[in-house]
Structures are given as C-alpha cells and as structure tokens.
Amino acid sequence: MTGIPQNIKGLIFDLDGVLVDTAVFHFQAWKRLANTLGYDFTERENEQLKGVSRVQSLQLILKWAGIEKTEAEQEALAAKKNDWYLELVNQMKMGDTLPGAEEFLKESKAAGYKIALGSASKNARLILEKTGIIDYFDAIIDGNGVSASKPDPEVFLKGAEALGVEPADCLVFEDAQAGIDAARVGGMHVVGIGKAEDLHGTDFVIRDLRGLKVGQR
Ligand code: B16
Ligand code: MG
C-alpha cells in the first residue's frame, strides 16, 4: 500500500468527493432547479460541476440549456438551489463520511500532521459539523474565504499558510481535475481520489482513503 511521502508535513483535504459524498445532493438539487427551467441533464454532465463554485455551476447549466438570466435572477436561482441542497445536507448524520475518511483523519492527527480543509463549498462548516469530523481540522478554508475558484490555487495556498507549512511540504487530496490543477499550480503534492484514467497530473491516484497508509511522521 502507498504511504504519505516523507517530506510531507501538512495535509489539505477537499470536502465533496474526498471526505463526504455531497455530490449526489448537489446533483439532485441542480437537477430540480434545471427541471423548473424546462431543462434536464445527466450524471455525466454533472461531472463537470464537481469542484466548481455555486455560481459557476449555475452558469454552466444555463449555458447547456441555452437560457440567459440577469445577475439578479442568477442569484435567486442559486439561492433556491442552495435551499434544496441544504434540505438534503441537514439529513446528514455523524459518520456519514466516505469509506476510510474518518479513520484516515484520526490516524493523520495522531501521527502529527497538520490538517486543513480546502473546499469550494460555502456550506463546508455545516457539513463537517453534521458528520462529526470538524475537530480534526487545524484550519478550514472554504468558499466563504476565497475570491478565486479552483483551478486557481488560492484555497490551497491559504490552507498551507494557515497551517504554517510550505506548499511543497503539503499533500492535497482531490477528486476533481480543477482541484488537482489548483494544487499543482500552487506547488503542492496531490493525491487523486477516484479513477486514474479520469485524473491527470497527480502524484498518484487511490480509490478512496482506505488506499493510503498514514504511518509515522
Ligand atoms: P456550495 P468541494 C464543491 O465542493 C462541490 O464539488 C461543487 O459541486 C459545489 O458547487 C461547490 O463545492 C460549491 O458548493 O454550493 O455548497 O457553496 O469539492 O470543493 O469540496
Ligand atoms: Mg471535490
């Protein structure tokens, strides 16, 4: 089994698709919104919304549908989608994390790694609280604290800074290509979570966090 590279001091986790499976809730809520506009989209198109911010996701869906909306209308639509998304998130419970995620966080913390969240989501804190994993984090950088979306490296650079660790000594965990590109541009190591054929530019790819050994620092 692969281990964490020797020089690594800080671990920066994406949220959706790495620690929790909220992608399915995003998909349901976006689909519900698209349907009110007389449009539908598939799970395959939904892949392109992963790791992308709320407003950018809406703009992509409107583009696919060939629909134009003013900025004010877009804000109202994004708010409606978020209300529906939160109805689903609010049903999440302690332990609703992806396979191996909580154990990996626990072992990493015990081994002395500094741990940050680097997520595009503005709902990240709520999700970490509901699933009971918030206390593992030394720093939380989310969609409320960044101005540029992935593949811009801002979210991860802020994470490294908050941990007091050089970017080159950080390992980022990402399931989306935009996030992998962001980590690379930021000069960090990056583990892809998912299928190797879908993810490019990683140090290595694992199916989920059961596939990586924490070991000793
Ligand atoms: P919110 P991540 C991303 O989370 C999701 O992958 C993406 O689908 C979503 O649009 C984005 O968060 C914003 O989420 O609407 O909750 O602010 O993968 O960066 O943890
Ligand atoms: Mg993600």
Side-chain angles (χ1 to χ4, degrees), residues 14-16 26 49 51-52 54 57 119-123 150:
D14 173 56
L15 180 61
D16 173 36
H26 281 295
L49 306 181
V52 176
R54 194 181 309 166
S57 301
S119 165
S121 176
K122 293 187 171 172
N123 299 302
K150 301 168 189 175

Side-chain angles (χ1 to χ4, degrees), residues 52-158:
V52 176
S53 75
R54 194 181 309 166
V55 62
Q56 284 173 327
S57 301
L58 174 65
Q59 286 167 354
L60 270 172
I61 293 168
L62 292 174
K63 195 172 104 188
W64 297 337
I67 296 171
E68 288 198 10
K69 292 285 177 191
T70 63
E71 210 171 300
E73 287 168 335
Q74 289 185 25
E75 263 177 44
L77 289 170
K80 200 191 265 187
K81 178 267 174 178
N82 196 51
D83 287 346
W84 289 334
Y85 174 66
L86 287 178
E87 280 176 16
L88 299 167
V89 164
N90 276 312
Q91 292 168 23
M92 292 182 94
K93 313 177 292 305
M94 296 285 161
D96 277 353
T97 46
L98 282 167
E102 181 157 10
E103 199 165 22
F104 190 83
L105 287 168
K106 193 189 269 177
E107 285 175 18
S108 303
K109 190 124 192 111
Y113 289 102
K114 293 274 181 205
I115 300 177
L117 188 84
S119 165
S121 176
K122 293 187 171 172
N123 299 302
R125 276 183 182 272
L126 172 70
I127 294 164
L128 294 177
E129 273 164 13
K130 290 208 75 85
T131 54
I133 56 174
I134 197 159
D135 291 341
Y136 291 111
F137 293 88
D138 300 298
I140 294 174
I141 315 293
D142 62 17
N144 300 297
V146 294
S147 47
S149 305
K150 301 168 189 175
D152 189 287
E154 182 185 4
V155 67
F156 295 139
L157 290 175
K158 282 194 168 156

Side-chain angles (χ1 to χ4, degrees), residues 172-189:
V172 169
F173 296 81
E174 255 295 347
D175 69 312
Q177 191 60 47
I180 291 168
D181 296 343
R184 277 275 169 250
V185 175
M188 298 168 188
H189 293 273

